Amino acid sequence: MTRPIIRFSAITPFFDWRWLDSPSRNRWGTRMPTVRDVTIRLLRELGITTIFGNPGSTELPLFRDFPDDFRYVLGLQESVVVGMADGYALATRNAAFVNLHSSAGTGHALGNIFTAYKNQAPLIITAGQQARSILPFEPFLHAERAIEFPQPFVKWTCEPARPQDVPLAIARAYYEAMTPPCGPAFVSVPVDDWDADCDWVSGREIATLNPGDPAAVTKLADSLQRAISPAFVLGAGVARDQAWEELIALAEQQKASVYVAPYTSRSVFPETHRLFRGFVPAFKEAMNTLLAEHDLVVAFGGPLNLYHAEGQGPDLPAGICCWTLGDNPRVLSWAPVGNGILGNCRAIAAALMVHTYPVERTAPPLRLQAPELDRAVLDDRLAMQIINEVLPANGVIVEEAPTSRGPMQEYLRLDRQDGFYTSASGGLGYAMPAAVGIALARSEERVIAVIGDGSAMYGIQSLFSAYQLNVPVTFVIINNGKYQALRKFGRIFGMQDVVGTDLSGLEFCALARGHGLPEGIRVNDAEGLTNALNRSFATSGPSLIEVLVSP
């Protein structure tokens, strides 16, 4: 099964009797549609009837006579708006439409625009601009050099030269966003453009599946067949390309060890599968130690050599043959070692199955089991184990708890396709709003947002959106009273004390009530957390659990 074609059909003009009183008519006597009319109809045809935004003065005309079949999702801060849209786009596999205010609002959103770029999330980001007639006078709340502001973290930017070009620009933004490597595109729209007359815009068809160069795939298949100890290192592109089943089949056929690439932001392989060996660290020396037993490493769907700090030694141990596969030419261009194939992970994995056959190899060793925990001490390891114990079959984990990432990888074994999301950028303030967007798209499932106390304060306004939308999200706040991840990282630089990391005094249950949630539950022991999770999972709307953990 190949990736779906982006398909658009032509739009047929229609007659609306409400237009007869309008002074602006075409040669047949019917009213010309406005830029707003054309844009709304184009979005409807593209399957986009949800708009994420925080309204400002220069955006209001877009919402005149807002259609009944559209939904407006309010975020109380623009970074929250983009985070919700990002999660929604990844969950629906279609571009999400975002409407921001001019410079100030776009500036608020830039952190999560950066994350959307790293997530390869398809977004159409529009931002208001002041009226064209007063732009020469630098009016209040105008956007100077609007198309440069969000660069370089958007694939394409435009402020149309004419009002009539706005729908065409939005159409191109959609095609740009949805063409691999997917990502955000940006259109700045002057406030008076929405009411201008405009011709209808017809859609087009674009086929986006790249199966990879056949000769290169055959060469990789030969290397795989000859390997003694092959390893697959899987990145988020495996999830974007829906290659889950193909990679399981290929790994089983080849008895390959399977690892998750550094800082992978999606679920890419069942973590209880006997071939799963663990997570590749983002540090050169540790990466080399982990992969030294292999003679072939194939990185599917993401960078292998993604480092968090400077290291010593080679990028891979001597004697290892390496291939990197994926849809992002930038990743292939800066990969420091090995060969690359630009293409769709699912298509390449399927082709490799055709060009290879099962070989007699010794199965790789099993992944070590995590140590037993003392259930009398609620730390983040035990919190992750308890979540694992009570996680419903339809549960989706969204995570932004940097201190607890290691314990999560040890004790929360995720086995579900599209069952995990986090930020690919390392920036904070993504996961809380993304959880709301994912829950909005997947309303029959339960989203569990596992958030650190420091991370939560970057997107706490998401609680209000969750309350307004009544989405099925359980926010689990891991509260250790500090920026613990930063304190740990400080030791790399020989720092025993790190200033500005004390977060004591935050009360997340009070914050939950203040944003409309009926209650927050604070727990400090294993039984309390188990009961609170089960209680939350039994409800249909959002809830918050604050987990006080021991260091």
Side-chain angles (χ1 to χ4, degrees):
M1 181 176 175
T2 59
R3 183 178 178 130
I5 290 175
I6 306 172
R7 179 169 288 118
F8 316 98
S9 59
I11 302 175
T12 305
F14 70 95
F15 187 83
D16 189 336
W17 291 99
R18 296 175 298 174
W19 294 350
L20 287 178
D21 295 331
S22 172
S24 180
R25 297 191 178 97
N26 60 23
R27 59 181 176 172
W28 295 284
T30 57
R31 200 205 87 162
M32 289 287 290
T34 65
V35 168
R36 179 179 53 257
D37 297 328
V38 175
T39 299
I40 290 294
R41 194 163 182 193
L42 175 66
L43 292 176
R44 186 181 289 119
E45 184 188 4
L46 301 178
I48 301 173
T49 56
T50 298
I51 294 178
F52 296 86
N54 180 281
S57 56
T58 54
E59 294 77 53
L60 288 180
L62 168 60
F63 306 113
R64 192 194 312 278
D65 299 324
F66 197 62
D68 292 339
D69 61 326
F70 273 61
R71 171 174 56 185
Y72 187 88
V73 176
L74 171 65
L76 297 185
Q77 208 265 8
E78 285 86 350
S79 66
V80 169
V81 169
V82 174
M84 289 192 297
D86 181 321
Y88 188 78
L90 295 178
T92 60
R93 300 186 183 276
N94 193 26
F97 189 91
V98 179
N99 186 242
L100 303 175
H101 200 27
S102 51
S103 293
T106 304
H108 290 159
L110 281 178
N112 270 339
I113 292 174
F114 168 59
T115 293
Y117 177 76
K118 289 294 187 179
N119 285 352
Q120 293 184 212
L123 300 181
I124 305 167
I125 301 174
T126 58
Q129 174 63 290
Q130 271 288 8
R132 291 176 184 271
S133 63
I134 57 174
L135 282 178
F137 311 110
E138 297 198 12
F140 189 64
L141 287 176
H142 88 297
E144 185 175 354
R145 299 163 69 178
I147 64 173
E148 297 176 38
F149 194 29
Q151 295 178 5
F153 302 121
V154 289
K155 292 181 65 179
W156 179 75
T157 66
C158 177
E159 185 173 275
R162 305 180 307 151
Q164 291 77 14
D165 296 331
V166 169
L168 290 170
I170 290 173
R172 178 170 174 183
Y174 179 82
Y175 307 141
E176 293 275 1
M178 289 292 289
T179 301
C182 297
F186 179 85
V187 182
S188 173
V189 185
V191 63
D192 48 342
D193 284 7
W194 295 110
D195 291 314
D197 293 341
C198 186
D199 292 324
W200 294 112
V201 173
S202 296
R204 298 182 295 117
E205 181 178 303
I206 301 176
T208 63
L209 177 65
N210 177 3
D213 180 79
V217 173
T218 301
K219 185 176 179 181
L220 171 57
D222 292 340
S223 296
L224 183 58
Q225 208 68 71
R226 295 194 304 268
I228 297 172
S229 177
F232 296 164
V233 179
L234 309 185
V238 170
R240 290 191 298 269
D241 292 345
Q242 298 178 272
W244 176 278
E245 296 293 342
E246 285 73 11
L247 263 301
I248 292 174
L250 184 63
E252 291 175 346
Q253 184 205 63
Q254 295 297 315
K255 295 182 181 177
S257 297
V258 179
Y259 303 89
V260 172
Y263 295 120
T264 290
S265 60
R266 303 283 297 276
S267 46
V268 292
F269 198 82
E271 294 174 18
T272 58
H273 194 287
R274 73 158 320 279
L275 294 175
F276 183 69
R277 301 284 303 280
F279 300 82
V280 176
F283 301 91
K284 185 178 288 187
E285 296 89 344
M287 182 184 298
N288 284 337
T289 299
L290 181 67
L291 298 178
E293 69 184 76
H294 303 289
D295 61 336
L296 172 67
V297 174
V298 186
F300 287 86
L304 168 63
N305 301 96
L306 181 64
Y307 304 130
H308 195 172
E310 185 179 16
Q312 303 299 317
D315 293 290
L316 277 180
I320 293 182
C321 175
C322 179
W323 290 76
T324 301
L325 321 175
D327 63 8
N328 193 334
R330 292 174 62 92
V331 171
L332 300 186
S333 69
W334 63 251
V337 291
N339 303 313
I341 301 176
L342 182 67
N344 177 279
C345 291
R346 185 175 188 172
I348 293 173
L352 288 172
M353 284 290 292
V354 172
H355 291 291
T356 57
Y357 52 87
V359 294
E360 293 298 324
R361 289 192 182 102
T362 302
L366 295 174
R367 183 187 181 192
L368 295 177
Q369 293 297 311
E372 290 290 327
L373 298 175
D374 179 2
R375 294 187 76 90
V377 179
L378 182 59
D379 58 11
D380 54 358
R381 297 174 303 163
L382 182 57
M384 296 301 165
Q385 180 174 299
I386 291 171
I387 293 171
N388 188 68
E389 291 168 354
V390 301
L391 185 69
N394 68 346
V396 178
I397 298 291
V398 183
E399 178 267 337
E400 192 175 286
T403 300
S404 303
R405 176 71 65 87
M408 184 191 71
Q409 292 172 347
E410 273 197 286
Y411 290 95
L412 180 51
R413 302 293 176 91
L414 300 175
D415 279 347
R416 191 176 177 212
Q417 184 176 8
D418 292 328
F420 173 74
Y421 297 82
T422 190
S423 163
S425 72
L428 301 181
Y430 168 75
M432 283 192 81
V436 176
I438 293 165
L440 194 63
R442 298 167 65 173
S443 59
E444 299 304 313
E445 302 169 72
R446 189 75 195 182
V447 174
I448 300 91
V450 182
I451 313 293
D453 50 354
S455 300
M457 294 310 298
Y458 284 76
I460 198 70
Q461 303 94 332
S462 307
L463 295 175
F464 179 75
S465 299
Y467 158 71
Q468 270 207 329
L469 297 164
N470 196 38
V471 287
V473 181
T474 301
F475 296 98
V476 180
I477 310 297
I478 307 296
N479 187 350
N480 57 22
K482 58 184 74 74
Y483 284 129
Q484 182 63 22
L486 199 58
R487 292 188 180 187
K488 288 182 177 179
F489 205 77
R491 294 170 194 155
I492 294 176
F493 302 105
M495 302 168 62
Q496 297 306 311
D497 296 310
V498 181
V499 299
T501 57
D502 181 12
L503 301 180
S504 57
L506 290 171
E507 296 186 14
F508 289 95
C509 293
L511 288 167
R513 291 191 298 272
H515 285 84
L517 272 65
E519 65 175 334
I521 305 172
R522 174 178 278 195
V523 300
N524 59 9
D525 58 36
E527 183 180 4
L529 177 55
T530 300
N531 293 338
L533 287 168
N534 286 325
R535 178 176 172 179
S536 173
F537 298 160
T539 66
S540 59
S543 60
L544 182 142
I545 303 170
E546 181 179 3
V547 186
L548 302 180
V549 295
S550 301

